[in-house]
Amino acid sequence: FHPFTTNGMLIQGAALVADAGFTFGDVIHDYVEFVGTFFIVGAASFYFLLLRPALARNASAMSTAGRVAARVGIAGALLRALAIGISASNTMAAKHVTLVDALTRRPSAIVGELAILVALIAFVLASRAARDGTGAWVVAALATIVVALRGIISTDLHDIVNPVHVFAASMWIGTLFVLVVAGLSAVLNGELAEADRGPLVSVLVGRFSTIALWSAGVLVLTGLTTAYLHLGTVPALWTSIYGRTLIVKLCVVACVFALGAFNNRRLKPSLGTTAAGSRLRRSATFEIALAAVVLGITAVLVNLPAPAEHVH
């Protein structure tokens, strides 16, 4: 193999996938699950931490943004249900069990499945509420917490760190996604007076910046912990397929962090007008696109054999 030949790269890539012992179906399952979690956490976070505090006095904009956010939550719950279906199908094929057995194989799985159903119903009710549908949102938020964080009830550090890592990422990028598609759209394209749009965008983004800052801190801490637990040794970072894939992920994550910092330091201070809000929305959309790439790499990464598992 020569590292600078295209055929060599393709052959090595195919060999790495084969040696990793997973299929692209596994990657698709995890990607769908990740996106679903981002959507439901982002919807609930947006409603309670951004929408209600910032737009409580603007009933029309709040109602519009709330309905869109609820639809994002519905999409997230459906994606999580799809992931459950994929997992159950794989279990049925591998262990030759019935659908009921596949769905009820573990008590924690049953809790998660019921929580997703409750979240779906609650988001549907919130999307159809005549006003803000606070009751439905409370139920949706509680169910979302169960779905995202039920794994932390464990004595295994791996089981604790991983859900917290995904939750922190969801609080950041998931909330940003809902802010863009629901909050900024409702303010910039709604029935608000032109003079009110810029200031409201500034308030929404200001509150989101606090969420993003704390989430990024937790994300870095849990990410470093996860890398330590899975790599086992420092050389594994560049000698194993897991480590090299992690390096690729970190490079893209660095781009997401850099763009987020640019939005916060350069674009956020200029907010106050509709034009500035539109510029921020375009930049945030690119940030979300980069985060989607990170999710794809992560879906591959979690299915790779961790070097620490082979260290004795």
Side-chain angles (χ1 to χ4, degrees), residues 149 151-165 222:
L149 294 176
I152 66 174
I153 305 177
S154 172
T155 57
D156 189 333
L157 185 58
H158 290 80
D159 294 336
I160 297 173
V161 172
N162 290 338
V164 174
H165 186 71
T222 53

Side-chain angles (χ1 to χ4, degrees), residues 266-286:
R266 298 295 297 274
L267 297 185
K268 179 185 170 185
S270 68
L271 291 176
T273 64
T274 300
S278 297
R279 286 195 299 272
L280 179 68
R281 180 168 58 177
R282 288 193 296 270
S283 183
T285 299
F286 188 55

Side-chain angles (χ1 to χ4, degrees), residues 192-214:
L192 294 171
E194 180 70 23
D196 294 334
R197 294 179 181 179
L200 284 176
V201 169
S202 182
V203 171
L204 284 170
V205 173
R207 295 190 66 86
F208 169 74
S209 295
T210 302
I211 296 173
L213 181 63
W214 282 99

Side-chain angles (χ1 to χ4, degrees), residues 111-125:
V111 172
E113 290 155 5
L114 290 176
I116 290 170
L117 178 60
V118 171
L120 176 60
I121 294 172
F123 280 126
V124 169
L125 293 176

